[in-house]
Amino acid sequence: MWGPEGLDEVEAGLLGPPEDLKGQEVLEIGAGAAQCSRWLAAQGARPVALDVSHRQLQHALRIGGAFPLVCADAAALPFADAFFDLACSAYGALPFVADPVLVLREVRRVLRPGGRFVFSVTHPIRWAFPDEPGPEGLTVVSSYFDRTPYVEQDERGHAVYVEHHRTLGDRVRDIVAAGFRLVDLVEPEWPDWNTSEWGGWSPLRGSLLPGTAIFVCERS
């Protein structure tokens, strides 16, 4: 799944036809419990699931899967140049780093020429609206252009969660600055079959506002 709307890779085909994934070396960045890598392995690909969180990778290990799990920083990938055919990230890594170009450049480095990187993030327009599933989530309360990070702190004042806002234009410029070519920008519509409501995600908001932005990039 590329996002809460429920768009899956079988339907979207953003990494290419599923039958072409067999034997491909694929890096999943910000893998969490490695759901994407598990699907890729089922298609015959050779995924590597990378995350900075050891705890998340422990969860992936408990679920199981015959592919490597790597605990590392996405801005300093421990792989040789031009090692992977494809890379993907579903809501991983990029929203949580202050300088996403560092991550993008590293991804480009480890991709072979012509390699594709597809990543999804919360659609930037959502930054201007409160994270509420009901009607209160449809009124602008913040400036779309305010790039102040969202930070949660523990009782000692230490940051435990940080998310950085980039406008749509920022994302495009970051991609180009890292040496990628932007092939497509997908904004999934909320499907009728998806009646789920959790956090700020709901059919009401999804029918009116984009919730996910998927960037399809290729290394020249």
Side-chain angles (χ1 to χ4, degrees), residues 56-207:
Q56 285 281 6
L57 293 175
Q58 283 182 316
H59 185 46
L61 190 62
R62 284 193 295 271
I63 297 173
F67 48 83
L69 304 175
V70 177
C71 189
D73 187 342
L77 296 173
F79 306 109
D81 295 356
F83 183 81
F84 293 97
D85 300 297
L86 299 165
C88 62
S89 183
Y91 279 74
L94 285 161
F96 311 110
V97 294
D99 188 352
V101 175
L102 294 178
V103 174
L104 289 164
R105 284 176 176 161
E106 274 293 273
V107 177
R108 183 184 183 279
R109 179 184 64 78
V110 302
L111 279 176
R112 297 185 176 115
R116 179 168 285 200
F117 177 38
V118 182
F119 69 92
S120 62
V121 295
T122 300
H123 197 289
I125 196 64
R126 286 287 180 102
W127 195 261
F129 295 83
D131 196 23
E132 298 289 344
E136 63 274 24
L138 300 176
T139 302
V140 171
V141 295
S142 303
S143 170
Y144 171 74
F145 302 102
D146 182 0
R147 296 167 177 83
T148 304
Y150 171 77
V151 180
E152 293 179 3
Q153 298 177 323
D154 62 18
E155 62 280 358
R156 295 173 295 174
H158 297 156
V160 294
Y161 180 90
V162 179
E163 188 169 348
H164 297 269
H165 171 52
R166 308 289 287 164
T167 68
L168 208 55
D170 290 338
R171 290 287 181 203
V172 171
R173 284 185 288 274
D174 290 344
I175 288 165
V176 173
F180 279 105
R181 181 170 66 94
L182 182 62
V183 176
D184 199 0
L185 169 57
V186 181
E187 300 166 292
E189 295 187 43
W190 193 278
D192 292 338
W193 61 261
N194 191 346
T195 59
S196 300
E197 181 177 306
W198 58 277
W201 303 91
S202 67
L204 172 64
R205 295 187 83 201
S207 66

Side-chain angles (χ1 to χ4, degrees), residues 14-59:
L14 302 180
L15 294 172
E19 60 271 19
D20 291 349
L21 293 173
K22 187 173 182 180
Q24 297 283 291
E25 304 281 356
V26 188
L27 175 62
E28 182 186 4
I29 298 164
Q35 293 94 328
C36 296
S37 289
R38 206 165 286 108
W39 180 85
L40 286 161
Q43 312 313 306
R46 296 166 55 86
V48 174
L50 179 140
D51 202 287
V52 74
S53 169
H54 183 257
R55 182 173 294 181
Q56 285 281 6
L57 293 175
Q58 283 182 316
H59 185 46

Side-chain angles (χ1 to χ4, degrees), residues 1-9 11-12 188-191 193-194 212:
M1 294 288 183
W2 286 110
E5 293 83 3
L7 178 66
D8 64 28
E9 177 56 15
E11 177 186 355
E189 295 187 43
W190 193 278
W193 61 261
N194 191 346
T212 297

